[in-house]
Amino acid sequence: MSLISEILDHNVRFVQNREYESYRTDQFPNKKLLVITCMDTRLVELLPRAMNLRNGDVKMIKVAGAVITHPFGSVMRSILIAVHQLHVQEIAVVGHHDCGMINFHCKALLDQAVQSGVSQDVIDTLNNAGIDLERWLTGFEKVEEGVRGSVKLIRNHPLMRPGIPIHGLVINPETGKLNLIRDGYETTK
Ligand SMILES: [Zn+2]
């Protein structure tokens, strides 16, 4: 059975058994918090449990490394919608130790892409067209650096609501232990 068939089979039972009932909520976050974190598989359940977040508590955005790559891209757009229209009053950027974006380099990804069948000509064409793949497909040396970069980008965004606390945290993907590396309340006083 294919993965999607398994998912759909499960889904039929889930709905029939009304298992959704304990997840009912609305689109506004109860804790008025937005969490931006990494797509790492270890955080799928661990992070919400470790932060005591239940369905309905937060808006959550997941991107590789919890890094916002562009001030006018889809992540920042989502943040602005959450802040201005969905009652978000605090933001937490949560990076994690042992992140795949630590020392992640564009070249390694592009080499892999070519091995997988993407033509080198395509990559050359993109580079020649002025698309800065090197800058776009890059990681960070330390997770704290990535978190601070995202916090700074959000804080300095011209459309961000002034005074909103933006926290920076790092989570251990094994134990769920959180370290606060930037207290958003400190800079909003
Ligand atoms: Zn990660």
Side-chain angles (χ1 to χ4, degrees):
M1 187 185 280
S2 71
L3 176 60
I4 199 70
S5 302
E6 282 177 27
I7 289 172
L8 291 172
D9 278 1
H10 166 86
N11 183 256
V12 169
R13 292 192 298 276
F14 180 88
V15 176
Q16 270 173 358
N17 298 337
R18 302 170 74 90
E19 289 178 49
Y20 52 83
E21 285 182 348
S22 60
Y23 298 99
R24 274 194 171 139
T25 180
D26 61 27
Q27 72 269 44
F28 300 111
N30 299 329
K31 295 191 176 179
K32 302 190 187 317
L33 175 69
L34 167 71
V35 174
I36 300 148
T37 189
C38 183
M39 65 183 185
D40 195 288
T41 49
R42 292 166 292 183
L43 302 182
V44 171
E45 286 191 60
L46 179 72
L47 181 139
R49 297 281 167 86
M51 293 181 73
N52 192 28
L53 304 177
R54 296 180 55 79
N55 212 40
D57 277 351
V58 297
K59 292 288 175 195
M60 191 174 293
I61 300 171
K62 296 192 144 197
V63 285
V67 166
I68 305 166
T69 57
H70 199 290
F72 293 95
S74 59
V75 175
M76 198 59 226
R77 175 173 171 268
S78 301
I79 294 169
L80 291 170
I81 291 167
V83 164
H84 291 297
Q85 302 209 289
L86 299 170
H87 306 176
V88 162
Q89 293 180 358
E90 294 192 33
I91 297 174
V93 178
V94 186
H96 67 99
H97 295 296
D98 194 33
C99 184
M101 295 305 281
I102 296 170
N103 294 324
F104 171 85
H105 293 297
C106 173
K107 187 177 180 312
L109 184 144
L110 294 181
D111 286 349
Q112 196 68 51
V114 169
Q115 276 185 29
S116 310
V118 174
S119 161
Q120 181 63 46
D121 288 348
V122 169
I123 294 167
D124 294 343
T125 302
L126 291 172
N127 279 325
N128 293 336
I131 294 170
D132 191 348
L133 295 176
E134 189 72 41
R135 189 160 178 271
W136 183 49
L137 294 169
T138 195
F140 39 73
E141 283 183 20
K142 290 183 174 175
V143 61
E144 290 83 359
E145 182 194 317
V147 169
R148 289 201 175 94
S150 288
V151 167
K152 192 174 166 197
L153 189 145
I154 300 166
R155 194 186 60 218
N156 293 337
H157 199 282
L159 298 177
M160 179 51 54
R161 192 168 70 218
I164 192 161
I166 305 166
H167 312 284
L169 300 101
V170 176
I171 191 169
N172 181 316
E174 300 298 323
T175 65
K177 169 125 181 52
L178 284 167
N179 277 334
L180 183 66
I181 62 167
R182 186 182 186 278
D183 183 341
Y185 301 131
E186 293 289 323
T187 48
T188 50
K189 278 175 190 164

